[in-house]
Amino acid sequence: MEVNQYLEMFIEESKEHLQACSEHLLELEKNPEDLAIVGEIFRSAHTLKGMSATMGFEDLADLTHKMENVLDAIRNEKIKVTPEIFDVVFESVDHLEEMVYDIADGGDGKRNVQETVAKLKNIELGEPVVAAKILTKQTVEAPVTPAEEVDFKLTYDDFEKTVILQSSEQEFNAYEISIALREDCLLKAARVFMVFEILEKNGDVIKSSPTVDKLEEEQFDSEFHVAYISKESAEDLQKMLMKVSEVDLVDVKEIGQDVFTQVTVSSAARSEEIAEAEIAATTEVVQAPVEQKANSNKASGGHATSKTIRVNIERLDILMNLFEELAIDRGRLLSIAADVNHGELNETVERMSRTMGDLQNIVLTMRMVPVETVFNRFPKMVRQLSRDLNKKIELNVIGAETELDRTVIDEIGDPLVHLIRNSVDHGIESPEVRRAKGKPEEGTVELRAYHSGNYVFIEIEDDGAGINRDRVLAKAISKGVVTHEQSLSMSDKQINELILASGFSTAEVISDVSGRGVGLDVVKTTIESLGGNISIESTQDVGSVFSIQLPLTLSIISVMLVEIESEIYAIPLSSIIETSIIRNSDILNAHNQKVIDFRGKVVPLVFLEEIFEVPRQEPKDDGFHSVVIVRKGDKLAGLVVDSFIGQQEIVLKSLGNYLTNIFAISGATILGNGKVALIVDCNALMK
C-alpha cells in the first residue's frame, strides 16, 4: 500500500486523538473513579495504534499498544489508578506527541522509549513503577507454538490473519466461502455482484480470489473464494447464497483461531496493531441491523460520504489572494458604474456585488478556526509545571470556541506558552506563601478569549503576587532599560510593560521554566507583527492580567472612508459607534483637552489633521466639524475629519518593510479609482 498519500491525514488525525487523550486524562485525574472516561481514552489510543501500524510506524504503534494495555486493565478494574500511574501515562502521551511531530517534520518517529515501555509493562503486571525492567528483543520475539494447520483455498498475510483472529473478540465468526457458478452461466459478473451484495449486507469481506476487479471483468472459470466475517451462522449464509440464480455450489468453512501456524509474538503484535482500527470500523458496520443497512444502501446507493474534507492551508491562501484582487476590481467596477450611470450596468454590478459579498463571507469563514486548537495544549502543560514547581494551580479556559483567522492561530501558540509559564512561575505563589497571605492554597490562572468588534481579545489572568513595581524599576535601571530620571515620570502601566523589554527578567534563579530573560519580548514582537498589541494590568498581591488584542482577520474589512483636505483615510466600521456633525460651540475644554458631551459622556476629540500632519492650502472654518465616534473597550473618542465619503469593503494591505511602526496607521488599501487610502488604527489613538 502506498502510504505517503495518507501521511498528512494520519498526522492530523493522530494529533486529534492525542489531544483527546490529554483532555480526558486531565478529566480522569479529577474523577479517577469514572471508568467512562477511561473508555474514551482507550478508544482514542486504540484507533491511534491501528493507524500507526498501518502506516508502518512500529515504535509509535508499540508504545500505544503498551499504554492501551494499561488503560484496558484500568477500565476492567484490574488496576486502581494512582498519581504514579497518571505520570507514566502522561509521559507516554508526551512521547507519542514527540513521535508524531517528528514524523510531521519528515522523520521516522523513532525514539528511545524503552524505559517508559518498561514502566507500562510493570503497571500492567501490578509491579512497582520504579523498578522498571526493560524487556529484551529476544523475549518479545519468542515464537508461539504452531497450531494444527488447516487446508484452505486462500492464503493470508499478517494483516488478514490478525483481522480474522481479532474478529472473535468482537463476537464475529470468520469464514472462508467457496462459490461455484453453473458451467453454462452467461452473466457471471452479475451473479458475482448479487453474491457480494448479500455478503456486504450481513458482514464484511476480508479478501477474495480472484480479486474483485478480475471478478467484475469475468476473468475466472466458474469458482471463486471469499474470506468473510459475520455474525450470521454458516448454515444461514449458505442458504442465502444458494438463492442467487445460477449458483451451483456454496461451501462455507469456519476459520478458527488455531488455524494459522508459525506466528511469532512480534509479528502478531504488529499485525494486531495494523488491523484493530479496521476491526473497530468493521464492528460498527456489521452490528447495524440488516434491514437498516439495506435501506440506507437503497437510498444512497452506497456508504454515507463524509461531509468534511481536509484542505491544505496554502490552497486557502491562494484562494484568499485571488479574492482580494477580485474585491479591488469590484470597487473599481462600482466606481465606473457610478460614473456611467447606465441602468442595466448598475443592476448587473449591484447583483455581482451581492454575490461577491456572499462569496467573501464563505472564503473568510473557511479560514476561521477556534482558538481551542491552541488552548488545548495548555491544561496538560500547567499540570506538569505545577508539579515541577510544587504549586497547586487550576487553569480555567473560557471562550475556547472563539474563532480567529488560521494565519493568526498559527502564530499565537508560542506567545501564549510564554505568558502562561510566566503566570505559573512568577505570578502564582507557593502554597505556603499563599496561606501566609490569607489566600487559598490553590492558585488560579484564567485563559479567556472573546470578540470585540473586529478584534479578538485573549487574556491571561492570575490571582498571584502581581508585579512588584519597585523591583521591576530597580531591575530596569540596573539593566539600562530606563534611566533613573525617566523612571520618576513613568505611570504604573508603563512600568508594568517594562517586563516586555528584551532580556528582562526578575527571576532570582534560572530554571527550566524561566529566568533566562527570553520570552516576553518575543511575545510583544510576535503580537505586534500580527497587527495586535499587548497590555498589562497588575495589582501587587492581587494578581495580573495580560491582554492581547488581535485582528479577527488579516484580509478584508468594512470601513468608513473619510476625507481630510485631499487625503482619504479608512476607519474600520468595527470601531465606529456613529458619525455626527457638531458646531464649534459644542467643543469644550477639560484638562487641556478638547472634548464634547456625547449622550451624557465626556468624549475627547482627536483632530486627525494634526495627528497625520495633513498640510492645508487654506484654513478651514465653517463653524461645523464632522466627527466619527469610535470605541475601544469602555473608552470613547471623537475623530475629527473634513467630510464623510461612505462605507466600503476594502482589502487590507501591509505598508511593507520600509514603512513600519507608523503611529495610528495599521495598513493601506487600493480604492476603486486606483488611489491609496491609509487605514486608521483607532486603538492606538485611545491608549
Side-chain angles (χ1 to χ4, degrees), residues 522-564:
V522 176
V523 171
K524 183 179 180 183
T525 303
T526 304
I527 297 303
E528 289 179 348
S529 71
L530 294 171
N533 61 66
I534 179 171
S535 61
I536 305 170
E537 295 181 8
S538 181
T539 304
Q540 194 167 346
D541 292 329
V542 175
S544 303
V545 180
F546 289 79
S547 181
I548 297 173
Q549 175 191 313
L550 293 164
L552 186 62
T553 179
L554 302 178
S555 49
I556 298 174
I557 59 174
S558 298
V559 298
M560 165 72 77
L561 295 178
V562 298
E563 190 173 30
I564 304 172

Side-chain angles (χ1 to χ4, degrees), residues 159-210:
F159 175 84
E160 292 154 354
K161 288 176 183 177
T162 307
V163 172
I164 293 169
L165 289 171
Q166 291 288 323
S167 64
S168 61
E169 295 180 10
Q170 308 288 343
E171 298 182 359
F172 290 96
N173 303 315
Y175 302 106
E176 184 174 294
I177 306 174
S178 298
I179 299 109
L181 302 178
R182 284 168 38 182
E183 293 293 338
D184 59 348
C185 179
L186 297 176
L187 300 172
K188 292 195 290 185
R191 303 310 170 204
V192 168
F193 174 80
M194 294 171 71
V195 167
F196 272 78
E197 187 177 34
I198 291 172
L199 292 176
E200 288 174 353
K201 285 181 180 179
N202 296 282
D204 273 82
V205 175
I206 304 300
K207 73 177 301 182
S208 67
S209 178

